[in-house]
Amino acid sequence: MRTGALLREIARRFAKAKLHYGHGTHNAREEAAWLISSQLGYLLEEEVPLRIRRRIEAFAARRIRERVPLAYLLKEAWLGEHAFHVDRRVIVPRSFIAELVRERFAPWLRREPRRALDLCTGSGCLAVLLALEFPQAKVDAADLSPGALAVARKNVARYALDRRVRLVRSDLFAGLGARRYDLIVSNPPYVTAKSMRALPREYRHEPALALAAGTDGLDLVRRILAAAKARLNPGGLLVCEIGGGRRSLERAFPALEFAWPAISDPDSVFVLEREQLPG
């Protein structure tokens, strides 16, 4: 079977199974292309070796039968051009903050950060991207989960960033001592209790600790907003992802002037300068 025929067949099977996407792909064809290219290393139109075809078909069968995100089956996820190890100890990386890292947080970031924090780091993907984009910065990557930090350690080592990225077990800011930062980014849990009850099977393979955030999805965000000012240097920046919680956030904090960057999902990430934060 040639590559194109295999792509069409796997995509047809995924579509027929009515899978849910959102862990790096958006539809059956994208998911099939990712699976095939992960095993071949390319998607050129040529005959697929039988042993690789069998491996691809075995992954496809598990994806359909178990409803496991493909990233967990492959032990790999991507943000832009960068690959990261993932397993079920962390959510699959998909943060829109990665787009802002590539843009160096323009126009809000006024100077190159010397010290940055990735709060609720999970797989460590944003901490790695920050360290790569800002080569003079020291980056702290904090998470409450020991399992998540073990995954993050793999990714920090993968990019040889052990000397500049420090992994810290911390309940938000509690374990960070008195350290202050020029930049804080966070993709915290933000799924509402109602949405947690309705999650598709694929999302139930992810750790609930990294998803659930109370009735309105703002439990962690409230704590971050209350403490962030004291953790930022003058002129510092807080960048936080909240999924679909913009309306709830603006109702809860009507006095704050949130900026909403023009990214792929413009209602999912807010930016606040230190001087705008409460406290």
Side-chain angles (χ1 to χ4, degrees):
M1 181 179 285
R2 296 178 71 81
T3 310
L6 182 60
L7 175 62
R8 289 189 293 275
E9 172 61 17
I10 298 295
R12 182 194 66 78
R13 289 170 60 188
F14 284 169
K16 183 179 179 181
K18 300 187 186 314
L19 301 177
H20 286 269
Y21 306 99
H23 294 97
T25 64
H26 299 91
N27 54 56
R29 184 176 176 83
E30 287 183 8
E31 188 106 336
W34 179 17
L35 172 55
I36 293 168
S37 63
S38 76
Q39 303 304 304
L40 286 176
Y42 54 82
L43 275 176
L44 299 175
E45 180 58 15
E46 59 181 54
E47 194 70 20
V48 179
L50 182 59
R51 63 180 178 82
I52 296 180
R53 177 182 164 188
R54 285 174 174 167
R55 192 160 67 227
I56 290 169
E57 289 177 341
F59 277 128
R62 284 194 66 194
R63 175 72 179 90
I64 292 169
R65 182 177 65 252
E66 300 174 27
R67 293 300 201 269
V68 180
L70 185 58
Y72 288 157
L73 296 178
L74 301 178
K75 296 291 190 291
E76 183 176 84
W78 292 77
L79 276 181
E81 62 183 18
H82 295 96
F84 298 94
H85 171 85
V86 294
D87 58 40
R88 297 189 194 189
R89 292 173 290 181
V90 297
I91 63 170
V92 177
R94 48 188 178 268
S95 176
F96 291 106
I97 293 175
E99 296 180 35
L100 296 176
V101 177
R102 290 193 293 271
E103 297 170 2
R104 300 174 70 84
F105 301 97
W108 297 280
L109 193 62
R110 299 173 186 175
R111 61 179 181 273
E112 184 118 348
R114 305 295 294 184
R115 193 171 292 279
L117 169 64
D118 176 18
L119 203 57
C120 307
T121 193
S123 63
C125 56
L126 291 179
V128 167
L129 293 182
L130 286 171
L132 293 175
E133 186 64 37
F134 301 106
Q136 303 305 313
K138 298 282 189 180
V139 181
D140 284 351
D143 204 287
L144 181 60
S145 165
L149 291 172
V151 174
R153 190 168 292 110
K154 286 178 178 285
N155 288 314
V156 170
R158 179 175 190 164
Y159 287 93
L161 292 169
D162 307 75
R163 293 186 177 182
R164 292 202 295 118
V165 177
R166 183 180 75 126
L167 300 171
V168 186
R169 189 180 181 196
S170 179
D171 181 5
L172 295 185
F173 299 102
L176 296 172
R179 190 165 290 189
R180 295 163 69 99
Y181 303 91
D182 303 308
L183 172 66
I184 297 172
V185 304
S186 185
N187 183 18
Y190 54 67
V191 181
T192 67
K194 181 179 179 180
S195 294
M196 285 295 295
R197 292 192 292 271
L199 285 177
R201 285 176 60 190
E202 282 85 349
Y203 289 85
R204 295 184 182 275
H205 289 280
E206 297 185 294
L209 179 67
L211 297 172
T215 302
D216 62 0
L218 298 179
D219 282 4
L220 274 290
V221 175
R222 284 188 174 88
R223 292 173 58 197
I224 291 169
L225 288 172
K229 186 170 188 175
R231 295 295 182 153
L232 283 167
N233 292 319
L237 202 66
L238 170 66
V239 181
C240 186
E241 189 156 343
I242 58 163
R246 176 173 178 173
R247 187 170 299 177
S248 296
L249 181 72
E250 291 180 330
R251 281 201 301 262
F253 296 94
L256 295 185
E257 297 182 6
F258 299 101
W260 300 94
I263 52 179
S264 298
D265 185 350
D267 293 330
S268 65
V269 177
F270 70 79
V271 176
L272 283 172
E273 298 178 2
R274 178 188 182 276
E275 289 68 28
Q276 297 174 297
L277 285 161

